[in-house]
Amino acid sequence: MKTKTLVVALLMAVGTSIMLSSCATKERAISRLENFSYELRDHSAYYDLEDWKKAGEKFLDIRKEISKHELEYTSEQKARIGQLEGKCAGYMSKGAKEGIFDKIKGFGTELNGIIKGILNAVTE
C-alpha cells in the first residue's frame, strides 16, 4: 500500500512539473516576442542588411515557438500575441522602407557627384 501511494505521489509530482514547465515555456515565447518588439523599436533604425536578415530569422524562430503552444493560449494571450506581432511587422516594414530610401538617397547623392565630376572634367 505504501508503494502505491508513493507511486501516485511521484506521478502527480511529475505531472505538475510538466504542466508548470509547459506554462513557463509558452509564457517565455510571449516574453521573447515582446522583447523582440522592443529591440526593433529601439534599434531597427540602425539595422543594415545583415541585421534585417537576423531579425527575420529571429521573428520566425519566435513564431515557431509560439505555434507549438497555439492550442494552450487563452483568448487574451492570443490577442496579446497578435498585438505584438503587429508591432514587430510595423517596425520591420518601417525600418526596411527607411533603409531603402536612405540607400536611394545615398545613391542619388553619389550619382549627383559623378555627374558634377564628369561636367567639371569636360569643361576644364
Side-chain angles (χ1 to χ4, degrees), residues 30 33 63 66 73 77-86:
I30 295 172
L33 183 61
R63 263 310 300 145
I66 288 171
Y73 290 122
Q77 288 171 318
K78 288 180 180 181
R80 179 78 177 132
I81 290 167
Q83 180 186 24
L84 291 168
E85 287 177 341

Side-chain angles (χ1 to χ4, degrees), residues 38-93:
Y38 296 148
E39 180 183 318
L40 289 173
R41 178 194 67 198
D42 297 341
H43 303 291
S44 65
Y46 310 105
Y47 280 9
D48 60 15
L49 187 59
E50 186 62 30
D51 293 325
W52 280 116
K53 182 180 174 187
K54 289 177 185 175
E57 290 169 356
K58 186 172 184 176
F59 182 75
L60 290 176
D61 182 54
I62 294 169
R63 263 310 300 145
K64 199 180 297 182
E65 187 178 347
I66 288 171
S67 68
K68 289 178 184 176
H69 305 284
E70 199 74 40
L71 299 176
E72 300 171 34
Y73 290 122
T74 65
S75 295
E76 292 81 18
Q77 288 171 318
K78 288 180 180 181
R80 179 78 177 132
I81 290 167
Q83 180 186 24
L84 291 168
E85 287 177 341
K87 282 183 177 184
C88 289
Y91 294 135
M92 291 173 84
S93 64

Side-chain angles (χ1 to χ4, degrees), residues 3-64:
T3 306
K4 241 184 199 179
T5 306
L6 184 60
V7 169
V8 170
L10 184 61
L11 287 174
M12 287 177 65
V14 168
T16 302
S17 175
I18 289 171
M19 287 174 32
L20 291 175
S21 173
S22 176
C23 184
T25 303
K26 74 178 188 175
E27 289 297 325
R28 187 184 73 218
I30 295 172
S31 293
R32 284 186 66 207
L33 183 61
E34 185 171 32
N35 291 336
F36 183 61
S37 74
Y38 296 148
E39 180 183 318
L40 289 173
R41 178 194 67 198
D42 297 341
H43 303 291
S44 65
Y46 310 105
Y47 280 9
D48 60 15
L49 187 59
E50 186 62 30
D51 293 325
W52 280 116
K53 182 180 174 187
K54 289 177 185 175
E57 290 169 356
K58 186 172 184 176
F59 182 75
L60 290 176
D61 182 54
I62 294 169
R63 263 310 300 145
K64 199 180 297 182

